[in-house]
Amino acid sequence: MSNSTRPSFPVLRHDRVTIGYPEAMSDELEFFFDPICPFCWVTSRWVVEVARQRPLEVTWRPLSLAILNEEISYEERRKASPEYPDSHLRGLEMLRVVHAARESAGPGCVGDLYTAFGELVWNSGPPEGDDFDAVMHEMARRRDLTGALQRVGLPVELADAADDGSRDDDLRAEAEEATRRCGGGVGTPILSFAPPDGPGLFGPVIDSVPEGDDALRLWDAVSTLARWGGFAELKRSLRSFPDTPLSSKLARTGTQVR
């Protein structure tokens, strides 16, 4: 989901722009995520599929949509669903737990914990209703996070961090770092190639997880664009709701989620 405001964008530094393609770029990637974003979830599963086939070293980092949207009003989004702000708050609560887990067990635990949180939300069955409000209601519902922590071998007490607002300054710094790399007016996910000084992109925004060779084709296309010095944007505003078990009744239909 994206931040639809149009703040002033930082100017791409000319000393970081390469004419033509660099001879090589590292296989390191930093993936900035919010567990409550369905587009981010689908893109993350694609990156996991790529890493299964390629020597890609992924570091997972928190990026709160609630924090990204602090400077804007939710009034327009409430027209799509009155529970929009609550869904972003659920994401922030989960990211506070991610922050606590990283502090306790190191960054190596973050990818597995994101998977556990993402599956807790997006692999649950579809709601009784078949409209956007029904899915948004499930996104905005507070969940017991202890099972996800147990699943990845982390102390269940870390779930208490969901209400620890003192972690928000560090999460805000993560958001600032993510937008420093790719500019403002973005959402999740953000892919940061060859971090910290390589190119960063918002997206790709996709509605299903490519597998096998298709996953690699998409990866090669995205990384090819990312590596071109000065590349900024290629956009299509038409989009459909991501295909997950939770959203299966809405999958591939037009959506107002941004």
Side-chain angles (χ1 to χ4, degrees):
M1 287 188 282
S2 67
N3 181 330
S4 59
T5 59
R6 289 287 181 180
S8 58
F9 292 96
V11 176
L12 188 62
R13 286 170 32 200
H14 290 289
D15 61 353
R16 292 177 61 180
V17 174
T18 301
I19 303 301
Y21 282 102
E23 291 185 3
M25 189 166 69
S26 80
D27 293 323
E28 296 179 10
L29 176 78
E30 290 188 349
F31 188 108
F32 290 83
F33 69 92
D34 189 321
I36 208 60
C37 175
F39 297 105
C40 185
W41 174 244
V42 169
T43 302
S44 74
R45 298 310 92 186
W46 160 65
V47 167
V48 168
E49 172 69 5
V50 172
R52 186 180 66 81
Q53 302 181 69
R54 294 270 180 89
L56 183 64
E57 183 180 339
V58 185
T59 299
W60 303 89
R61 297 184 62 171
L63 177 58
S64 166
L65 287 167
I67 288 174
L68 280 177
N69 284 275
E70 281 180 328
E71 300 303 319
I72 71 168
S73 168
Y74 272 97
E75 288 310 309
E76 284 301 314
R77 296 188 178 192
R78 283 194 178 97
K79 293 177 182 178
S81 171
E83 294 188 283
Y84 228 123
D86 291 335
S87 72
H88 285 186
L89 179 58
R90 298 292 87 79
L92 175 58
E93 290 166 352
M94 286 186 276
L95 289 178
R96 288 169 179 164
V97 177
V98 167
H99 180 270
R102 186 176 65 180
E103 188 176 73
S104 172
C109 73
V110 174
D112 288 341
L113 186 55
Y114 174 31
T115 294
F117 283 167
E119 291 181 350
L120 181 65
V121 177
W122 299 109
N123 283 12
S124 58
E128 291 186 7
D130 58 0
D131 59 4
F132 177 71
D133 283 339
V135 173
M136 185 61 72
H137 180 73
E138 285 300 302
M139 291 169 63
R141 178 172 61 84
R142 183 154 180 165
R143 290 168 169 79
D144 181 357
L145 304 179
T146 57
L149 288 162
Q150 283 182 314
R151 173 182 159 187
V152 298
L154 292 169
V156 296
E157 293 78 13
L158 290 173
D160 294 339
D163 297 314
D164 184 2
S166 70
R167 299 182 179 278
D168 292 358
D169 283 346
D170 282 352
L171 292 173
R172 194 167 288 107
E174 293 275 355
E176 290 171 355
E177 176 61 18
T179 55
R180 181 191 70 80
R181 296 184 188 183
C182 76
V186 296
T188 56
I190 288 176
L191 275 60
S192 179
F193 297 84
D197 296 321
L201 295 178
F202 162 50
V205 176
I206 53 178
D207 66 3
S208 59
V209 182
E211 298 180 344
D213 289 343
D214 285 343
L216 298 181
R217 290 189 186 98
L218 180 59
W219 174 260
D220 289 339
V222 171
S223 60
T224 295
L225 289 173
R227 289 186 295 113
W228 182 262
F231 172 77
E233 185 172 15
L234 181 67
K235 186 171 183 178
R236 176 169 58 189
S237 295
L238 297 175
R239 65 176 68 180
S240 55
F241 207 93
D243 188 2
T244 74
L246 175 64
S247 60
S248 58
K249 295 179 182 179
L250 290 181
R252 310 297 176 84
T253 63
T255 179
Q256 301 178 63
V257 175
R258 291 290 183 266

